[in-house]
Amino acid sequence: MRRVVSSAIRAERAFSSRIASLQKPTPSTSSSSVPDRATLEKGTVQPTVLKPFVSASLQHEDLFNFESAVHVDEMFKARLHYGHKVGTVNDNMKWALYGERLGVCVFDLDITKKFLVRALNFVAHISMRGGMILFVTSNRDSMFDVEKAAEEVGQYSHVRKWQAGTLTNTRQLLGASVRLPDAVCFLSTLTSLGENHPAIIEAAKMAIPTIGVVDSNSDPAYLTYLVPANDDTPQSTEYLLRMFKEAIRKGQEERKRLQQGK
């Protein structure tokens, strides 16, 4: 096990060095620049002071150009704007709503697009670095679609009942240390009982970034990248899975290109 971990670490370091060598240096950064202790302490309160020390690819807000790939009219046709009834709205989701019609909440798709583009770029970055992405849902109507989508792009899925401690207590459950996912993508953040999915809290405890499709009746707390949108219709799930698969494929293609030195 130690040999496997050491080999993986060496491979990742080699790949990171390859990325750094292919990127054009900027005046404010250099490969040897390391923030001092005072800067790091200040960065815990004001993260922007660490921006000059971040690689150029991470400073780009839309490196994979998803702004031109995500269209409001397609989201509208996929019914991403449909929320739940007004009486079930979560107060922490009112900021993402355009209004209501016939007692049903309606999402502002301009806001949805902004957050979806951010989430897709993050997924593509994880994929470009060879990261492991775990797709999670407890919606029985979409579980097979989620499993199929994850398999098509070489990733993983969990659509059954979540066992407590799956992320926080792997040694006790599995008898050995295993690699945890580098990101968890929730196609639905609520369980069948209308409660927050327990994996969200577990991922937060383990400092694993999360992407979550959050409906109007959901709580966005503890999610790293949230996407305010309809999470429980076949059309919306199909659209979101297609976009997440495209993000993963773009990251994989970029990783292959960098490894080949093109």
Side-chain angles (χ1 to χ4, degrees):
M1 178 63 73
R2 291 181 178 177
R3 292 180 179 178
V4 173
V5 173
S6 299
S7 299
I9 293 175
R10 288 196 297 269
E12 182 60 27
R13 287 176 177 174
F15 176 67
S16 300
S17 300
R18 182 63 181 169
I19 291 179
S21 65
L22 293 174
Q23 291 173 346
K24 295 181 179 179
T26 58
S28 60
T29 61
S30 63
S31 58
S32 60
S33 62
V34 178
D36 55 26
R37 185 180 181 85
T39 304
L40 288 173
E41 291 179 351
K42 187 176 181 181
T44 60
V45 180
Q46 189 179 357
T48 53
V49 301
L50 298 176
K51 189 173 182 180
F53 302 96
V54 178
S55 64
S57 63
L58 292 177
Q59 294 194 38
H60 201 297
E61 294 185 359
D62 190 12
L63 180 66
F64 297 91
N65 195 28
F66 283 109
E67 183 70 29
S68 60
V70 178
H71 304 285
V72 171
D73 57 339
E74 291 183 357
M75 291 192 293
F76 183 82
K77 292 178 182 178
R79 303 182 181 181
L80 262 65
H81 59 294
Y82 284 143
H84 285 262
K85 292 183 178 180
V86 174
T88 64
V89 65
N90 188 297
D91 289 339
N92 294 326
M93 287 303 298
K94 291 182 178 179
W95 60 271
L97 299 177
Y98 180 81
E100 63 89 16
R101 178 170 174 77
L102 301 178
V104 176
C105 296
V106 178
F107 283 106
D108 187 331
L109 290 183
D110 287 327
I111 295 178
T112 300
K113 176 180 178 178
K114 174 183 176 182
F115 282 82
L116 180 58
V117 168
R118 288 181 58 197
L120 293 174
N121 269 284
F122 173 73
V123 169
H125 273 286
I126 293 291
S127 177
M128 183 179 72
R129 288 161 174 78
M132 178 194 300
I133 300 173
L134 177 66
F135 287 89
V136 176
T137 186
S138 57
N139 189 334
R140 293 184 178 181
D141 296 331
S142 62
M143 61 171 57
F144 294 114
D145 293 331
V146 173
E147 282 185 327
K148 181 180 178 182
E151 184 179 1
E152 288 176 351
V153 290
Q155 299 297 338
Y156 303 85
S157 62
H158 189 292
V159 298
R160 270 53 176 188
K161 182 179 179 180
W162 185 267
Q163 186 174 357
T166 300
L167 296 178
T168 56
N169 196 19
T170 55
R171 181 179 290 275
Q172 184 68 24
L173 292 176
L174 304 175
S177 297
V178 298
R179 177 183 174 181
L180 294 177
D182 297 286
V184 182
C185 182
F186 294 89
L187 273 301
S188 176
T189 58
L190 296 179
T191 64
S192 58
L193 299 177
E195 301 174 347
N196 277 356
H197 200 291
I200 297 176
I201 299 298
E202 290 195 19
K205 289 180 178 179
M206 300 303 294
I208 299 175
T210 51
I211 306 100
V213 181
V214 188
D215 214 323
S216 62
N217 64 333
S218 304
D219 187 356
Y222 301 107
L223 290 169
T224 313
Y225 293 89
L226 60 92
V227 180
N230 178 9
D231 67 352
D232 55 8
T233 61
Q235 295 90 339
S236 61
T237 302
E238 179 185 356
Y239 173 82
L240 290 167
L241 284 174
R242 176 165 59 85
M243 297 307 298
F244 283 127
K245 286 194 300 181
E246 182 178 349
I248 292 173
R249 288 192 177 111
K250 280 190 175 184
Q252 291 171 342
E253 292 171 359
E254 183 65 13
R255 179 178 178 83
K256 187 181 297 184
R257 185 185 69 81
L258 290 171
Q259 288 177 330
Q260 294 174 350
K262 294 181 180 180

